[in-house]
């Protein structure tokens, strides 16, 4: 069996240009039906996610990019979006999309502002975590649903701000406002995802006699204070 070691970590400003280069190369070289699933963000939103420690990359032992994904603040503070996920073709099938979803759920939740809405029927204390998936991207949709995301028919207008960067907008006669279907994470499933992340020591998956072991170089999963905060959040979410 072949074993590949990798790490997942928060990207820094020094990584910005090479991350964008990886995404640009994918857009140029992948077939349109595949590259269309790579949802672009305005540069300022991407850079802000990096500056806030909310963009994560997986890289191998020599620092080569394998996957990346971010969490993005929206103009509406009661919602945050998980987006811009890209796993290079040779590293698909190892569950990296799921790993990046779990890590972003933890990181985004730690930095959230409680919902100040007076609408008690909303029944939530943290900004809603939303992700968008192209209808044709059945693999990503399945991963999203498996982690506990549910269809979200009424996101706020803020979620559509990134549409200005879309390369494949819906046809004008399609009746669609956006090319993506949106999903949100319930409190119970958020608590479950955070708990699973806290239990992980590393991420290991095997495909075709090849094992990928990803070390978690993630501050919010290593720092005792952050871990305690996440444990407290899990208890709070389960009491809502």
């Amino acid at each position: 069996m072949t074993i590949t070691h990798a790490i997942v970590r928060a990207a820094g400003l020094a990584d910005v240009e090479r991350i964008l280069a990886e995404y640009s190369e994918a857009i140029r070289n992948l077939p349109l039906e595949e590259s269309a699933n790579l949802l672009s963000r305005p540069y300022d939103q991407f850079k802000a996610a990096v500056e806030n420690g909310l963009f994560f990359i997986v890289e191998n032992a020599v620092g080569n990019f394998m996957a990346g994904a971010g969490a993005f603040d929206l103009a509406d503070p009661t919602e945050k979006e998980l987006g811009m996920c890209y796993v290079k073709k040779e590293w698909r099938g190892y569950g990296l999309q799921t790993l990046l979803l779990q890590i972003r759920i933890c990181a985004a939740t730690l930095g959230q502002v409680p919902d100040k809405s007076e609408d008690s029927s909303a029944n939530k204390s943290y900004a809603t975590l939303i992700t968008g998936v192209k209808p044709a991207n059945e693999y990503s949709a399945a991963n999203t649903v498996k982690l506990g995301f549910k269809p979200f028919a009424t996101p706020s207008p803020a979620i559509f701000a990134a549409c200005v960067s879309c390369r494949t907008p819906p046809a004008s006669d399609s009746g669609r406002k956006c090319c993506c279907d949106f999903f949100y994470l319930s409190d119970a499933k958020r608590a479950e995802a955070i708990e699973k992340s806290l239990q992980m020591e590393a991420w290991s998956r095997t495909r075709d006699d090849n094992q990928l072991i990803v070390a978690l170089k993630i501050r919010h999963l290593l720092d005792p204070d952050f871990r305690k905060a996440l444990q407290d959040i899990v208890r709070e979410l389960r009491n809502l």
Side-chain angles (χ1 to χ4, degrees):
M1 177 181 290
T2 301
I3 299 177
T4 300
H5 289 275
I7 66 168
V8 58
R9 64 175 177 86
L13 287 175
D15 299 305
V16 165
E17 294 307 321
R18 76 183 185 97
I19 292 171
L20 291 178
E22 292 284 354
Y23 280 67
S24 295
E25 181 181 4
I27 290 170
R28 285 196 307 271
N29 297 330
L30 291 175
L32 179 59
E33 63 270 17
E34 193 173 339
S35 69
N37 296 326
L38 186 54
L39 303 174
S40 301
R41 309 290 302 201
Y43 176 79
D44 59 339
Q45 292 184 18
F46 164 66
K47 186 180 179 184
V50 173
E51 290 174 333
N52 293 330
L54 292 175
F55 198 95
F56 299 91
I57 56 174
V58 182
E59 56 189 10
N60 66 12
V62 294
N64 293 330
F65 178 95
M66 299 165 70
F72 301 91
D73 292 324
L74 300 176
D76 183 342
T78 68
E79 296 178 345
K80 289 182 183 289
E81 185 177 4
L82 308 182
M84 210 172 165
C85 185
Y86 169 48
V87 179
K88 295 191 79 168
K89 196 163 189 175
E90 58 267 36
W91 298 112
R92 295 172 192 170
Y94 292 99
L96 294 181
Q97 186 180 61
T98 298
L99 170 63
L100 288 166
L101 269 171
Q102 288 190 197
I103 285 171
R104 287 180 291 163
I105 288 168
C106 292
T109 300
L110 271 176
Q112 284 184 2
V113 177
D115 181 5
K116 301 301 184 182
S117 171
E118 296 180 2
D119 180 6
S120 59
S121 65
N123 192 31
K124 60 185 179 183
S125 295
Y126 293 91
T128 302
L129 295 183
I130 303 170
T131 190
V133 181
K134 294 264 191 178
N137 191 356
E138 296 177 359
Y139 182 81
S140 291
N143 280 343
T144 301
V145 171
K146 186 177 180 180
L147 200 58
F149 282 81
K150 298 179 179 180
F152 190 28
T154 56
S156 74
I159 200 74
F160 302 106
C163 291
V164 297
S165 298
C166 185
R167 295 173 293 107
T168 55
S172 58
D173 60 352
S174 67
R176 295 183 64 97
K177 186 174 182 180
C178 178
C179 64
C180 287
D181 293 331
F182 292 99
F183 300 80
Y184 77 98
L185 193 63
S186 69
D187 289 330
K189 291 300 184 179
R190 187 199 298 244
E192 186 177 308
I194 293 172
E195 194 165 55
K196 284 181 179 178
S197 297
L198 290 170
Q199 292 169 353
M200 289 192 303
E201 295 183 2
W203 182 267
S204 178
R205 295 291 186 275
T206 299
R207 187 196 72 183
D208 300 332
D209 207 35
N210 297 305
Q211 184 181 19
L212 176 63
I213 301 174
V214 183
L216 309 177
K217 303 296 184 182
I218 301 294
R219 185 181 177 190
H220 62 261
L221 296 179
L222 298 175
D223 185 285
D225 291 335
F226 284 168
R227 288 183 63 85
K228 183 180 183 306
L230 286 169
Q231 289 164 354
D232 291 342
I233 287 170
V234 168
R235 285 191 289 272
E236 180 183 346
L237 288 169
R238 286 184 170 154
N239 287 330
L240 289 176

